[in-house]
Amino acid sequence: MVPVPQRRPHVVIVGGGFGGLRAARLLKDADVDVTLVDRTNHHLFQPLLYQVATAVLAPSDITIPIRYVLRRQRNATVLMGDVRRIDPDARTITVDDAGWTLSYDYLILAAGARHSYFGKDQWEEVAPGLKSIADAYELRRRFLTAFEEAEKAATQEEKQAWLTFVIVGGGPTGVELAGIIPDTAEAFRKDFRRIDTCKVRVVLLEGGPKVLAAFPEKLQQEALRDLEELRVQVRLDSIVTRVERDAVYVGEERIPTRTIFWAAGNAASRLGAQLGAPVDRAGRVLVEPDLSVPGRPEVFVVGDMAAVTSEGKPVPGVAPAANQMGERAARNLLATLRGQPRQPFTYRNKGDLATIGRHRAIASFGKLQLEGYLAWFLWLFVHILYLVGFRNRVSVLVQWTYAYFTYQRGVRLISGAMTTVGSTATPSEPPSTRPPVPGWK
């Protein structure tokens, strides 16, 4: 009799972010077939996404094709598609609107999260968040367009509204956005004739009593001082009650602005709710200590989709945590295949870093706390080190060096729809309503 070859276990990984990609690479030498499904074709280094949104880096500097990363991994297949449905009983996932399915023996769910508007999803059109390259393109378009519209503004009030940037959320993304805008605006100062870009107004609205709440109190105060020195107006205990195309409301107070960025709150991918497991208010799956779904040991959830504690503390939704969860899920999967016991996930916090602006940053490594120049250069080094791909490391280093010595920004392309959110001008507006500009016809 001819022996029938045994089918190898099929591991499906949904999401090519930090957790998903780490899990896939760790299964390189395993006797399994791996299929990684992502709605895009690239891995994104999300911690530097705000620099794409503010014209410091190009999108290609912080992305790398997933296929390229896994090109030498013979047991891995990469598919670009949007997972719409998970059937944990049939052990299948449905991909794209066409409805083609993949069956799995083991599933690692690492689909990430989106920004949350706390039930006010209609605000997203006016106040976009920052989670993807598409988001960064849109924020960059609005950011650069604000200066162009201010240059054409007919009144001082309109000009000031265009030069007012409101950021909602005082976490790392909000603080880093608020800190980089004054520096970037200063780099534009010689390029415009009718506005002073150094006089931009940046308002940071935080609903709680602190910015960067995950950091020690001393470093929070240092970050607050840095923001104030950059002329950022930090408003604590300020909950946004309404968002309009030309204003943000805090209670009954109206803040005129044409550019609003959202950096408050996260909502996990809706795929987690399809597993039949309990989820928290943010939609994260309440996983077992080994990162598996309760009652379904063949399904693991990692990254921003997992609500997990380590040593009695909630694990933060940061890139190092996602990396570590992806590694633990893969190792527990391998342990099961070998008939060995699984190990609980333990988060190893290697430190927290946040940059506020040029030469301004904070770093916390347990009892060791740094600020200023040293923390800033450490932040640069760590982010270069953790970028995926040698080309990206070199490209980012070159861009940062160029910006550091020339005070210029090299990626100032405005693309996308020409209609600007909040704009009151129309193509048919007669030139006579505009102030005289040399060469205007």
Side-chain angles (χ1 to χ4, degrees), residues 310-366:
S310 177
E311 299 179 347
K313 298 179 181 179
V315 176
V318 294
N323 262 325
Q324 293 176 34
M325 280 191 263
E327 178 176 344
R328 175 46 54 197
R331 292 193 183 280
N332 280 339
L333 190 158
L334 292 175
T336 298
L337 293 177
R338 296 168 184 155
Q340 300 171 349
R342 297 180 177 184
Q343 299 297 319
F345 172 71
T346 301
Y347 175 53
R348 300 181 302 277
N349 188 353
K350 299 179 181 179
D352 296 309
L353 293 161
T355 181
I356 295 96
R358 187 183 182 92
H359 298 157
R360 304 171 191 268
I362 57 175
S364 175
F365 302 95

Side-chain angles (χ1 to χ4, degrees), residues 115-129 142 168 205 238-245 247-251 260-262 264 421:
H115 29 269
S116 171
Y117 292 86
F118 309 106
K120 303 287 186 180
D121 292 346
Q122 67 274 17
W123 290 355
E124 184 171 10
E125 181 183 355
V126 182
R142 298 190 187 204
V168 183
L205 302 177
S238 298
I239 297 176
V240 174
T241 54
R242 193 172 9 148
V243 174
E244 297 179 349
R245 289 184 176 272
V248 171
Y249 288 80
V250 177
I260 310 164
F261 297 151
W262 192 268
V421 170

Side-chain angles (χ1 to χ4, degrees), residues 110-413:
R114 290 288 291 170
H115 29 269
S116 171
Y117 292 86
F118 309 106
K120 303 287 186 180
D121 292 346
Q122 67 274 17
W123 290 355
E124 184 171 10
E125 181 183 355
V126 182
L130 188 58
K131 290 290 186 182
S132 67
I133 283 294
D135 295 336
Y137 269 119
E138 178 61 16
L139 263 65
R140 186 180 71 182
R141 184 183 69 81
R142 298 190 187 204
F143 176 67
L144 296 175
T145 299
F147 294 97
E148 301 293 341
E149 293 295 327
E151 180 86 343
K152 300 185 298 183
T155 66
Q156 185 60 35
E157 291 76 14
E158 184 184 357
K159 181 183 300 184
Q160 187 57 57
W162 280 113
L163 292 178
T164 297
F165 299 89
V166 175
I167 300 161
V168 183
T173 299
V175 168
E176 288 173 343
L177 271 173
I180 202 171
I181 287 176
D183 282 344
T184 304
E186 185 176 354
F188 298 164
R189 68 188 185 278
K190 295 181 180 179
D191 298 353
F192 293 86
R193 300 293 179 264
R194 302 184 62 247
I195 59 172
D196 183 355
T197 61
C198 294
K199 293 183 178 179
V200 295
R201 180 191 180 197
V202 182
V203 182
L204 179 63
L205 302 177
E206 166 55 38
K210 304 174 182 178
V211 295
L212 299 174
F215 284 79
E217 181 72 25
K218 175 186 174 183
L219 296 182
Q220 292 175 12
Q221 295 302 319
E222 180 64 26
L224 193 58
R225 283 192 294 270
D226 285 340
L227 289 169
E228 290 171 347
E229 289 177 4
L230 289 169
R231 302 184 307 278
V232 175
Q233 299 175 21
V234 181
R235 304 275 299 273
L236 303 176
D237 297 310
S238 298
I239 297 176
V240 174
T241 54
R242 193 172 9 148
V243 174
E244 297 179 349
R245 289 184 176 272
D246 59 354
V248 171
Y249 288 80
V250 177
E252 296 300 319
E253 179 187 0
R254 183 178 185 272
I255 304 175
T257 179
R258 300 294 177 84
T259 312
I260 310 164
F261 297 151
W262 192 268
N266 291 311
S269 167
R270 296 177 181 177
L271 293 176
Q274 299 181 18
L275 298 174
V279 297
D280 64 8
R281 295 179 60 184
R284 298 177 301 175
V285 180
L286 302 176
V287 296
E288 299 285 5
D290 65 354
L291 301 178
S292 67
V293 173
R296 299 193 181 276
E298 76 280 359
V299 180
F300 298 89
V301 180
V302 303
D304 290 338
M305 292 191 65
V308 61
T309 59
S310 177
E311 299 179 347
K313 298 179 181 179
V315 176
V318 294
N323 262 325
Q324 293 176 34
M325 280 191 263
E327 178 176 344
R328 175 46 54 197
R331 292 193 183 280
N332 280 339
L333 190 158
L334 292 175
T336 298
L337 293 177
R338 296 168 184 155
Q340 300 171 349
R342 297 180 177 184
Q343 299 297 319
F345 172 71
T346 301
Y347 175 53
R348 300 181 302 277
N349 188 353
K350 299 179 181 179
D352 296 309
L353 293 161
T355 181
I356 295 96
R358 187 183 182 92
H359 298 157
R360 304 171 191 268
I362 57 175
S364 175
F365 302 95
K367 294 182 179 180
L368 177 62
Q369 299 178 12
L370 304 174
E371 57 193 51
Y373 276 85
L374 183 57
W376 188 70
F377 281 110
L378 181 62
W379 181 92
L380 295 177
F381 172 77
V382 168
H383 283 71
I384 288 287
L385 182 66
Y386 277 90
L387 273 167
V388 178
F390 178 76
R391 176 202 170 278
N392 284 6
R393 295 189 188 106
V394 172
S395 180
V396 170
L397 182 60
V398 169
Q399 291 288 345
W400 280 351
T401 303
Y402 172 79
Y404 183 81
F405 287 106
T406 67
Y407 290 83
Q408 295 299 309
R409 301 295 184 259
V411 192
R412 290 172 57 179
L413 173 68

